[in-house]
Amino acid sequence: MNITNNTILITGGGSGIGLEIAKSLHATNKIIIAGRNKEKLDAAAEGLDNVFTIQADITNGNDVDRLAEEIKVNFGGLNILINNAGHAYAYTLSDTSDTYTKASAEFETNYFAPIRLTEKLLPLLKQQENAAVVNVSSIVAFAPGSHVPTYSDSKAALHSYTKLLRYELAKDTAVKVFELMPPLVNTDLSAEIGGRENGIPALEVADSLVQGLMNDTFEIRVGNTEVLYSNFFAGSDGAFEMMNQ
């Protein structure tokens, strides 16, 4: 895939993986970073050429409509959508009476919001000869972590959706669908589950995405995610093909 001269939207682009992706691609692309906090977005974009900000809550339908309209009117289109924004709670199923509330919030950000935003922006993406959707899931999409139980569920759902979206769009569109699958990363999101001490740098994840886009590697399994997949899940692609013959 061509990774230059694109207009790219990154949700959750004000910090962590999203910001590192913006830094990796901004020199030769037009980058839009979106998030809830305007001050955080402005600080992230400061000093970066070709990086623009749009304040938007991707779990809010009105904000999503406004975001899509701003991209259409002010930027003239979109080549790459990177669904990166995430939300997680660290807890175990045995020590909470609030699982439903936590799960609902995680699914709203990690699963339903990417579906709505992708659906809203697909008409713009389909107009391009070079276009892609990138969904950022996780190693826990393959093997759930007991410390992030319903976050794991939401990423497993996103993984399933991504595979099917790729399968459907490949039939009659030029839109490619990628999945970025990092292990534990040193970000604010993962601080309470040991990300500061044990997570890989967010820059390593961004670099893996760039290489994956260039090489059309549709499942970009970073670090230990590749180890886990190779040892336990490598046969799953055959099962997918059998289900969708």
Side-chain angles (χ1 to χ4, degrees), residues 8-56:
I8 303 172
L9 171 63
I10 307 172
T11 66
S15 63
I17 294 171
L19 180 55
E20 291 300 332
I21 293 171
K23 290 178 178 178
S24 296
L25 294 171
H26 78 96
T28 55
N29 297 280
K30 188 181 296 182
I31 309 292
I32 307 160
I33 56 174
R36 296 175 180 175
N37 189 309
K38 185 179 187 304
E39 290 74 20
K40 186 176 182 179
L41 291 172
D42 290 343
E46 187 174 359
L48 297 178
D49 295 333
N50 308 316
V51 175
F52 307 87
T53 68
I54 299 178
Q55 182 182 18

Side-chain angles (χ1 to χ4, degrees), residues 3-237:
I3 61 166
T4 63
N5 299 314
N6 296 300
T7 300
I8 303 172
L9 171 63
I10 307 172
T11 66
S15 63
I17 294 171
L19 180 55
E20 291 300 332
I21 293 171
K23 290 178 178 178
S24 296
L25 294 171
H26 78 96
T28 55
N29 297 280
K30 188 181 296 182
I31 309 292
I32 307 160
I33 56 174
R36 296 175 180 175
N37 189 309
K38 185 179 187 304
E39 290 74 20
K40 186 176 182 179
L41 291 172
D42 290 343
E46 187 174 359
L48 297 178
D49 295 333
N50 308 316
V51 175
F52 307 87
T53 68
I54 299 178
Q55 182 182 18
D57 178 355
I58 61 166
T59 67
N60 182 291
N62 291 331
D63 277 16
V64 169
D65 290 343
R66 175 175 53 80
L67 175 61
E69 187 65 18
E70 284 194 36
I71 291 171
K72 180 179 178 181
V73 172
N74 297 336
F75 295 90
L78 187 70
N79 296 86
I80 301 176
L81 165 62
I82 302 179
N83 286 309
N84 166 73
H87 184 57
Y89 288 105
Y91 70 101
T92 62
L93 293 176
S94 63
D95 68 5
T96 182
S97 60
D98 203 21
T99 301
Y100 176 82
T101 301
K102 289 181 170 65
S104 297
E106 289 167 330
F107 267 82
E108 190 65 42
T109 299
N110 302 338
Y111 182 62
F112 295 120
I115 289 176
R116 176 161 54 190
L117 187 56
T118 300
E119 184 177 60
K120 182 66 65 172
L121 292 174
L122 264 178
L124 292 180
L125 293 169
K126 288 179 177 180
Q127 294 173 10
Q128 308 296 327
E129 294 181 2
N130 186 64
V133 175
V134 179
N135 289 333
V136 180
S137 67
S138 168
I139 190 172
V140 297
F142 287 129
S146 63
H147 55 302
V148 283
T150 46
Y151 173 80
S152 300
D153 297 343
S154 69
K155 292 300 187 178
L158 183 64
H159 172 60
S160 177
Y161 165 75
T162 305
K163 288 181 74 74
L164 289 169
L165 183 67
R166 180 184 306 124
Y167 174 77
E168 293 295 333
L169 292 182
K171 293 177 181 179
D172 56 5
T173 81
V175 182
K176 299 178 179 180
V177 180
F178 296 82
E179 184 174 3
L180 179 63
M181 313 177 79
L184 186 64
V185 183
N186 181 1
T187 65
D188 293 341
L189 179 69
S190 65
E192 66 176 300
I193 57 172
R196 296 291 187 221
E197 300 79 17
N198 302 308
I200 66 171
L203 177 58
E204 183 177 336
V205 182
D207 288 344
S208 295
L209 173 61
V210 172
Q211 291 300 314
L213 292 173
M214 291 174 60
N215 297 323
D216 282 341
T217 303
F218 295 115
E219 284 195 2
I220 305 167
R221 298 181 288 268
V222 185
N224 284 337
T225 307
E226 179 58 44
V227 176
L228 179 72
Y229 179 85
S230 297
N231 287 335
F232 299 104
F233 296 98
S236 62
D237 288 340

